[in-house]
Amino acid sequence: DAKTTQPNSMESNEEEPVHLPCNHSTISGTDYIHWYRQLPSQGPEYVIHGLTSNVNNRMASLAIAEDRKSSTLILHRATLRDAAVYYCILRASPMYSGGGADGLTFGKGTHLIIQP
Amino acid sequence: DTGVSQNPRHKITKRGQNVTFRCDPISEHNRLYWYRQTLGQGPEFLTYFQNEAQLEKSRLLSDRFSAERPKGSFSTLEIQRTEQGDSAMYLCASSSGQINSNQPQHFGDGTRLSIL
């Protein structure tokens, strides 16, 4: 599986934007970029995913570099409830993985700390 | 949508005992996944089912581990002859799976296993 690299931790202030980077220099053309987050004492939660174009949803935005070797998860206005570990994951399209390789490969993620 | 439900939430047992965990996925989700998470690490994929068929197993899934999904709905994960190293959070996730889709995985809050 292609690997991702994220900072171990980041700190931000409440009500300010947060940019969480992820490097994935060995990404293949068919890999999607997924982000999940895990709040304390909970299971991971899906945030957003994309392939080439930038994506927006109610939780966050995903900015993907033109060469796709890096991406950034953007929380537009952080709240204390956004304090979590954020995971950047590459996921092969099931069409190209033969439908069999479907488990997510989590790294250690970025521990986001939000200061009030 | 009641979410993915896992029982029990906590399990404490003595080394050498057998334990069984249950996962109830979101109804009509045909894919079900098991992961293991130790302290400070991201979740690690163990196995997954499409309906009742077990399609993929990680090398982490030793012979002492067995997972079933007999009717394509709920799943059980059994660990026989538990060892200290089995202490972890066991997470279950489900998704609706169609070929060429990138449906997110929805996680439960896990079963925390402690081996005495």
Side-chain angles (χ1 to χ4, degrees), chain A residues 32 34 36 38 41-46 49 87 91-96 98-109, chain B residues 9 31 33 35 37 40-45 48 50 55-56 91 95 98-110:
Chain A
Y32 283 75
H34 285 244
Y36 283 73
Q38 188 170 22
S41 301
Q42 294 186 22
E45 174 188 29
Y46 167 80
H49 78 274
Y87 298 99
R91 191 176 183 192
S93 168
M95 183 174 76
Y96 296 99
D102 209 28
L104 297 174
T105 301
F106 290 81
K108 290 190 176 182
Chain B
R9 290 298 311 277
R31 293 191 172 195
Y33 310 80
Y35 292 82
Q37 185 173 26
Q41 305 295 318
E44 297 172 293
F45 170 75
Y48 103 92
Q50 177 150 328
L55 294 187
E56 187 182 1
L91 293 159
S95 74
Q98 299 174 9
I99 199 74
N100 200 28
S101 75
N102 258 272
Q103 293 296 321
Q105 295 183 15
H106 299 263
F107 285 79
D109 287 336

Side-chain angles (χ1 to χ4, degrees), chain B residues 21-73:
Chain B
F21 312 137
R22 176 177 170 126
C23 171
D24 287 272
I26 293 171
S27 59
E28 299 182 358
H29 275 189
N30 59 340
R31 293 191 172 195
L32 186 147
Y33 310 80
W34 284 100
Y35 292 82
R36 180 178 71 183
Q37 185 173 26
T38 53
L39 202 60
Q41 305 295 318
E44 297 172 293
F45 170 75
L46 293 178
T47 188
Y48 103 92
F49 293 82
Q50 177 150 328
N51 299 313
E52 65 275 9
Q54 190 171 14
L55 294 187
E56 187 182 1
K57 291 185 194 180
S58 160
R59 56 183 170 78
L60 294 174
L61 211 67
S62 77
D63 291 345
R64 297 184 297 106
F65 288 68
S66 63
E68 294 183 344
R69 195 183 184 200
K71 297 182 180 179
S73 57

Side-chain angles (χ1 to χ4, degrees), chain A:
Chain A
D1 288 335
K3 193 175 176 180
T4 63
T5 304
Q6 299 177 254
N8 289 333
S9 65
M10 289 184 63
E11 200 167 310
S12 183
N13 296 319
E14 198 176 9
E15 299 187 3
E16 291 185 357
V18 180
H19 291 235
L20 295 161
C22 180
N23 288 320
H24 30 77
S25 58
T26 59
I27 191 171
S28 77
T30 56
D31 285 339
Y32 283 75
I33 302 157
H34 285 244
W35 284 82
Y36 283 73
R37 73 179 185 180
Q38 188 170 22
L39 279 66
S41 301
Q42 294 186 22
E45 174 188 29
Y46 167 80
V47 178
I48 201 167
H49 78 274
L51 183 63
T52 55
S53 303
N54 295 344
V55 184
N56 301 296
N57 67 20
R58 63 175 179 81
M59 290 181 72
S61 296
L62 176 60
I64 301 173
E66 198 169 331
D67 63 5
R68 299 204 334 120
K69 293 185 176 181
S70 65
S71 60
T72 302
L73 180 71
I74 302 166
L75 307 179
H76 294 285
R77 195 163 168 267
T79 70
L80 295 177
R81 289 178 298 176
D82 291 321
V85 179
Y86 286 78
Y87 298 99
C88 171
I89 298 168
L90 300 183
R91 191 176 183 192
S93 168
M95 183 174 76
Y96 296 99
S97 66
D102 209 28
L104 297 174
T105 301
F106 290 81
K108 290 190 176 182
T110 297
H111 184 198
L112 177 63
I113 300 164
I114 304 295
Q115 296 289 355

